[in-house]
Amino acid sequence: MKTGLFWLTDMVIVAGTHGQFCNQLFRLGHHVANAIQLGYEVNCADFEHKHLFPHLMQHRLVSDKPLLSGFQQKLLKVGTRRPFQGTIRRLFEQQGYAVIDRAYEFNHADQRFLEQATQQRVIVTHWDFRDYESFNQQYAALKNMFALPAQAQKEATELIEKARCQGNMVVGVHLRRGDYAAWKGGKYYYDDDAYAGMMAHITDLLPEKRVTFVLCSNEPIRHAAFANWSTVVSDKTFLGDLATLSQCDLLFGPPSTFSGWASFIGQVPHYHMHQPNAKPRFDEFKVARG
């Protein structure tokens, strides 16, 4: 599409940084899956963790070359504030861009987005862009593109092998602490008793299995609180923990994209504890859909 003095090639620019590590993986993963499905290029110059994923940056439809000027970046940040959204959107539209600054769930019957993505540059500033159909259809490609560094995978494999020596069912426990003390007023900052109660429940759900629990946390773990169960405690980096959880047979923890991403990328059924005394049925453990 010709605008002013230059041509804008068709492309979707994933602008800005939203949330922590796995929030960013889900956001970009949906964009990449949509791009592969529809055949356009996606630009992720703002993705701050791209150095961890060399296969992602080698894909022919993914680029990380900065395309927006510093001034344009500042305009987009201002545009995230509701009073200025319309004005900033119109400024970019006058330059030949389309702007998506609201939550957007892609529908494959949506010809308007398809036309925009394949005929001009689209800037997506909102974190909540989702294409669940493509995200799951492109699982194999995403698994390759978002493969964690070899060292993290090696650490995880060693820990899981240790757990499998102790039992024939490995259940990952994501004891999310740290920032959860403040997030939503500490609603999901569960104490040891909540996790221990869930471990006891899972043991009862699987009487025919010898369950070993792999404990991962962003705070030190009190081993004595879980002495009644066969456990392996991770002391790895957050990347090692993520890889470890993705290699388990089941997962549970409070609502978190960290365990959600581990579930999706490892295709591991998981359960998010929305209450500290949760007692889910076995069929409530499901692979995260994205």
Side-chain angles (χ1 to χ4, degrees):
M1 179 176 183
K2 194 172 183 179
T3 60
L5 300 177
F6 56 92
W7 290 84
L8 292 180
T9 56
D10 55 295
M11 176 184 295
V12 169
I13 300 172
V14 184
T17 299
H18 297 272
Q20 298 190 46
F21 185 68
C22 288
N23 298 80
Q24 295 180 41
L25 295 187
F26 272 117
R27 182 194 186 205
L28 185 57
H30 277 271
H31 278 290
V32 169
N34 184 264
I36 294 173
Q37 200 79 1
L38 300 182
Y40 64 82
E41 187 175 347
V42 63
N43 179 273
C44 60
D46 288 349
F47 179 48
E48 59 189 358
H49 304 291
K50 52 184 174 283
H51 62 285
L52 296 173
F53 304 104
H55 294 297
L56 171 68
M57 304 319 305
Q58 291 166 6
H59 196 280
R60 64 182 182 84
L61 292 177
V62 179
S63 69
D64 65 343
K65 179 181 179 181
L67 298 174
L68 300 175
S69 68
F71 178 68
Q72 287 176 315
Q73 292 276 17
K74 290 178 181 178
L75 280 179
L76 289 174
K77 287 182 180 179
V78 172
T80 61
R81 302 169 192 167
R82 189 171 297 277
F84 304 106
Q85 275 185 339
T87 301
I88 300 302
R89 189 187 317 116
R90 286 190 292 274
L91 283 173
F92 276 91
E93 287 171 348
Q94 289 169 8
Q95 299 175 53
Y97 294 93
V99 178
I100 296 177
D101 53 12
R102 295 173 175 82
Y104 186 90
E105 184 170 338
F106 179 77
N107 181 327
H108 282 264
D110 186 353
Q111 292 299 309
R112 184 169 179 271
F113 178 83
L114 177 59
E115 290 170 1
Q116 288 178 330
T118 56
Q119 295 179 21
Q120 66 183 120
R121 283 189 179 173
V122 181
I123 301 174
V124 183
T125 60
H126 200 280
W127 65 270
D128 194 9
F129 176 96
R130 294 293 185 264
D131 177 0
Y132 292 103
E133 183 178 337
S134 296
F135 188 75
N136 286 279
Q137 286 182 356
Q138 296 297 332
Y139 167 73
L142 294 176
K143 183 178 181 180
N144 176 64
M145 296 165 76
F146 288 95
L148 290 170
Q151 181 59 34
Q153 296 190 54
K154 179 176 180 291
E155 291 176 356
T157 299
E158 291 172 352
L159 199 67
I160 293 296
E161 287 177 351
K162 180 179 178 181
R164 294 201 185 282
C165 288
Q166 298 177 202
N168 58 10
M169 170 67 78
V170 176
V171 177
V173 185
H174 182 212
L175 294 90
R176 181 66 180 263
R177 300 273 175 74
D179 57 326
Y180 268 34
W183 187 60
K184 289 188 176 293
K187 179 179 180 179
Y188 300 117
Y189 189 84
Y190 297 145
D191 60 20
D192 290 339
D193 288 343
Y195 292 102
M198 186 68 159
M199 291 163 69
H201 176 65
I202 289 176
T203 302
D204 291 340
L205 281 179
L206 303 169
E208 75 287 1
K209 298 290 187 179
R210 292 181 293 110
V211 180
T212 296
F213 295 94
V214 176
L215 311 181
C216 299
S217 182
N218 53 344
E219 283 186 359
I221 294 173
R222 289 196 319 117
H223 295 234
F226 308 104
N228 291 337
W229 295 274
S230 171
T231 61
V232 173
V233 177
S234 172
D235 59 356
K236 308 304 179 186
T237 63
F238 81 97
L239 290 176
D241 281 351
L242 187 60
T244 297
L245 292 174
S246 75
Q247 293 185 31
C248 293
D249 300 317
L250 285 179
L251 298 176
F252 77 85
S256 167
T257 54
F258 193 86
S259 56
W261 183 263
S263 169
F264 170 74
I265 212 69
Q267 294 293 282
V268 182
H270 84 310
Y271 181 82
H272 276 161
M273 299 168 61
H274 289 274
Q275 301 293 335
N277 59 348
K279 296 289 187 290
R281 302 184 310 273
F282 186 75
D283 62 5
E284 292 183 86
F285 287 79
K286 299 183 184 300
V287 173
R289 66 186 286 259

